């Protein structure tokens, strides 16, 4: 028998295009020394030893294939550190979704342009729109109404400020002329800003709903002035006292024709899921300081992470350590919603980070995609849940690569008719990435 070195991990074995058989078996120096000390080369092996070697190779290859990621991974960008979220908008009018991402440890904010079907599996064209410290969230919004999408970044850490990155005028590709970064004075050093949501509230320009974490955390309205480029004229109105806001989602929850704000609060006495009721255009015009009524609807006392909502008003919520909640409204959406709790195996996956539902395999029924943090070792950080026989069964997507993933977007990136998974990883291989749905 050929002894395998102590640090050899069969489940991590990968084939390499080198023609070297010991690299098929992991390529460690210990294994190389062990083989060469006994046989010198393949030619030095007798028939029995060679048969054992080939059997071991087949076993390890099959083991490696079994543990590999079922969905193929494509890297959009991996040239900075701490990719923290993906937010979408078609900013160049080509009908394809572009991406805004803040790189928290790298201190940069970037926009990525969908390159079209032929090149979508390659790194995407990008532009750096600004440099700020500790960007936690980045998103597109046409802040000044000039028809070009600008970028907003929300920063925590020592920065604790919101920044606008103004798109250059008359530069369709947004690559030649420089972007201009300005701080929003009313937010400077005030809170650890975590998330922003574009929403027109009082009939003026594009406003922002902001969420934060830590001391003095809140959800509130960053009100757009008549001249949006006048940074000192932006005002902040506090709506809700928070612990640690993870998600802000706009949706007409009460069916009255205006958009309300759904939120997940991760920490403190207020942890759980709630929604803030839009009082309407006229009341907000009459009293801009008016607080929106908060309705708590579920997952109380849990560490509610990123959430999403379907068109039929089902909320999918990731909750640490290893749970996903599905909330369904009753007759009165202002009262507690019906809750279904799904527990997934903690030995196979990391801790819950985000959840989103969609029909992945075309059978007409939604699956629930989940991303994770703390996916160390052989744990996967990306998987989906499919209902079968009244039970939710887990299916691996990402394999063991990656430790800390973020919020999810499900969309057909390669134009083959099924939904792919867009996310980012910010600890192990640091990337904006997508997983290719294999069902078509």
């Amino acid at each position: 028998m050929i002894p395998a070195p102590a640090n050899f991990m069969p489940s991590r074995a990968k084939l390499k295009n080198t023609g070297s058989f010991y690299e098929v078996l992991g390529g460690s120096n210990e294994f190389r020394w062990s083989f060469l000390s006994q046989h010198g080369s393949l030619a030095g092996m007798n028939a029995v030893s060679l048969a054992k070697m080939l059997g071991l190779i087949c076993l390890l290859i099959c083991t490696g294939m079994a543990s590999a990621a079922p969905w193929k991974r494509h890297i959009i960008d991996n040239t900075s550190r701490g990719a923290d979220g993906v937010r979408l908008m078609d900013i160049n009018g080509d009908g394809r979704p572009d991406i805004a991402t803040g790189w928290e440890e790298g201190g940069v904010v970037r926009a990525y342009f969908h390159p079209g079907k032929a090149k979508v599996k390659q790194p995407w064209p990008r532009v750096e729109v600004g440099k700020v410290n500790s960007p936690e969230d980045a998103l597109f919004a046409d802040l000044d109404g000039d028809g070009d999408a600008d970028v907003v970044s929300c920063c925590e850490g020592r920065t604790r400020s919101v920044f606008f990155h103004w798109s250059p005028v008359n530069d369709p590709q947004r690559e030649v002329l420089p972007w201009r970064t300005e701080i929003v004075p009313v937010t400077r050093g005030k809170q650890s800003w975590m998330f922003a949501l574009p929403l027109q509230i009082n009939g003026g320009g594009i406003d922002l709903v902001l969420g934060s974490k830590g001391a003095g955390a809140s959800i509130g309205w960053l009100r757009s002035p008549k001249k949006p480029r006048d940074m000192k004229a932006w005002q902040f109105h506090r709506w809700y006292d928070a612990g640690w806001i993870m998600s802000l989602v706009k949706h007409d929850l009460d069916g009255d024709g205006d958009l309300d704000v759904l939120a997940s609060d991760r920490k403190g006495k207020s942890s759980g899921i709630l929604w803030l009721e839009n009082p309407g255009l006229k009341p907000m015009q009459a009293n801009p300081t008016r607080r929106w009524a908060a309705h708590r609807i579920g997952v109380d006392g849990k560490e509610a992470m990123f959430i999403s909502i379907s068109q039929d008003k089902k909320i999918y919520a990731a909750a640490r350590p290893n749970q996903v909640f599905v909330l369904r409204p009753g007759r009165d959406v202002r009262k507690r919603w019906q809750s279904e709790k799904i527990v997934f195996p903690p030995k196979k996956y990391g801790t819950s980070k985000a959840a989103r539902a969609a029909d992945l395999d075309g059978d007409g029924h939604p699956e629930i995609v989940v991303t994770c943090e703390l996916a160390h070792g052989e744990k996967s950080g990306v998987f989906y849940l499919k209902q079968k026989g009244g039970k939710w069964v887990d299916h691996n997507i990402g394999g063991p690569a990656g430790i800390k993933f973020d919020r999810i977007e499900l969309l057909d990136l390669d134009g083959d008719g099924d939904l792919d998974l867009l996310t980012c990883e910010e600890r192990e291989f640091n990337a904006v990435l997508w997983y290719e749905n294999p069902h078509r």
Side-chain angles (χ1 to χ4, degrees):
M1 286 291 288
I2 300 172
N7 67 344
F8 183 63
M9 299 175 63
S11 62
R12 290 282 190 173
K14 293 184 173 72
L15 284 169
K16 300 182 181 180
N17 296 322
T18 62
S20 170
F21 73 94
Y22 51 71
E23 286 188 328
V24 171
L25 299 178
S28 68
N29 289 330
E30 290 86 354
F31 186 83
R32 182 181 305 190
W33 179 88
S34 174
F35 175 82
L36 292 176
S37 65
Q38 294 182 60
H39 304 288
S41 67
L42 279 172
M45 298 179 69
N46 59 35
V48 174
S49 295
L50 182 58
K52 290 180 178 179
M53 170 61 71
L54 294 175
L56 180 59
I57 291 174
C58 291
L59 173 63
L60 294 173
I61 290 174
C62 292
T63 304
M65 289 174 65
S67 65
W71 290 27
K72 189 173 182 180
R73 185 178 72 232
H74 303 287
I75 301 297
I76 292 172
D77 182 20
N78 62 353
T79 62
S80 189
R81 294 177 298 113
D84 209 347
V86 287
R87 305 289 293 274
L88 303 179
M89 179 185 286
D90 175 14
I91 68 170
N92 55 5
D94 64 359
R96 296 187 288 260
D98 306 304
I99 304 169
T101 296
W103 293 77
E104 186 173 2
E105 282 74 32
V108 296
V109 180
R110 291 174 176 169
Y112 302 93
F113 304 95
H114 193 300
K117 182 178 179 179
K119 297 182 178 180
V120 72
K121 298 178 183 181
Q122 303 173 15
W124 290 19
R126 68 175 187 263
V127 60
E128 193 168 289
V129 307
K131 294 183 178 180
V132 293
N133 292 326
S134 304
E136 178 67 25
D137 184 37
L139 63 145
F140 297 116
D142 184 4
L143 296 167
D144 56 3
D146 66 353
D148 284 334
D150 309 297
V151 175
V152 179
S153 61
C154 299
C155 299
E156 55 166 336
R158 295 182 178 179
T159 307
R160 292 166 56 88
S161 301
V162 175
F163 294 86
F164 292 167
H165 309 277
W166 299 104
S167 174
V169 180
N170 299 321
D171 183 7
Q173 297 303 316
R174 296 167 177 80
E175 295 174 347
V176 179
L177 300 176
W179 290 64
R180 185 159 56 91
T181 297
E182 292 186 293
I183 195 170
V184 183
V186 74
T187 70
R188 185 195 296 266
K190 297 295 177 63
Q191 300 179 44
S192 292
W193 304 104
M194 301 297 289
F195 205 90
L197 177 69
L199 185 65
Q200 194 173 66
I201 293 171
N202 65 343
I206 293 296
D207 306 293
L208 295 169
V209 180
L210 302 180
S212 63
K213 74 172 186 179
S218 69
I219 300 173
W221 171 28
L222 186 61
R223 180 158 60 112
S224 175
K226 291 182 179 180
K227 296 181 179 180
R229 293 260 182 167
D230 181 1
M231 301 301 292
K232 294 181 179 180
W234 287 78
Q235 299 181 41
F236 182 72
H237 303 291
R238 190 182 189 94
W239 287 345
Y240 178 81
D241 298 332
W244 180 338
I245 296 302
M246 290 293 293
S247 295
L248 295 172
V249 182
K250 55 188 175 185
H251 197 96
D252 183 6
L253 288 158
D254 53 6
D256 64 355
D258 53 33
L259 292 172
D260 309 296
V261 175
L262 176 67
S264 58
D265 197 347
R266 177 177 176 178
K267 292 286 188 179
K269 296 179 180 179
S270 59
S271 64
I273 298 174
L274 64 136
W275 66 278
L276 300 173
E277 184 175 352
N278 189 338
L281 179 62
K282 290 184 178 180
M284 292 309 297
Q285 288 175 336
N287 181 14
T289 64
R290 177 174 177 154
R291 287 201 174 203
W292 289 22
H295 306 289
R296 306 195 58 80
I297 56 176
V299 199
D300 290 352
K302 302 290 185 180
E303 201 168 347
M305 306 296 281
F306 285 116
I307 63 176
S308 59
I309 186 168
S310 62
Q311 289 301 314
D312 59 354
K313 293 183 181 178
K314 290 180 184 176
I315 296 171
Y316 298 87
R320 294 184 71 176
N322 62 320
Q323 299 171 342
V324 175
F325 287 86
V326 183
L327 302 182
R328 299 171 175 86
R331 291 183 178 181
D332 187 349
V333 294
R334 296 171 181 83
K335 295 182 179 180
R336 299 284 169 177
W337 291 25
Q338 299 172 8
S339 178
E340 176 187 2
K341 182 174 71 173
I342 305 167
V343 179
F344 60 84
K347 292 184 178 181
K348 294 174 66 175
Y349 306 105
T351 60
S352 285
K353 185 62 177 288
R356 186 178 290 271
D359 182 5
L360 299 178
D361 55 13
D363 67 352
H365 302 286
E367 289 75 42
I368 305 173
V369 178
V370 182
T371 55
C372 302
E373 299 177 322
L374 302 176
H376 295 287
E378 294 300 302
K379 291 183 179 182
S380 175
V382 187
F383 67 98
Y384 72 91
L385 297 161
K386 184 174 181 63
Q387 200 163 31
K388 186 176 182 180
K391 296 182 179 180
W392 290 96
V393 180
D394 60 279
H395 299 267
N396 194 3
I397 289 178
I403 294 171
K404 184 179 181 181
F405 294 85
D406 210 83
R407 66 185 303 276
I408 300 164
E409 294 288 350
L410 298 175
L411 66 166
D412 185 5
L413 287 171
D414 53 5
D416 65 352
D418 57 23
L419 297 176
D420 306 299
L421 192 165
L422 174 66
T423 187
C424 56
E425 200 282 333
E426 56 177 307
R427 282 295 178 269
E428 184 175 352
F429 54 86
N430 282 282
V432 180
L433 67 140
W434 62 282
Y435 292 96
E436 183 179 349
N437 191 332
H439 289 102
R440 290 188 185 179

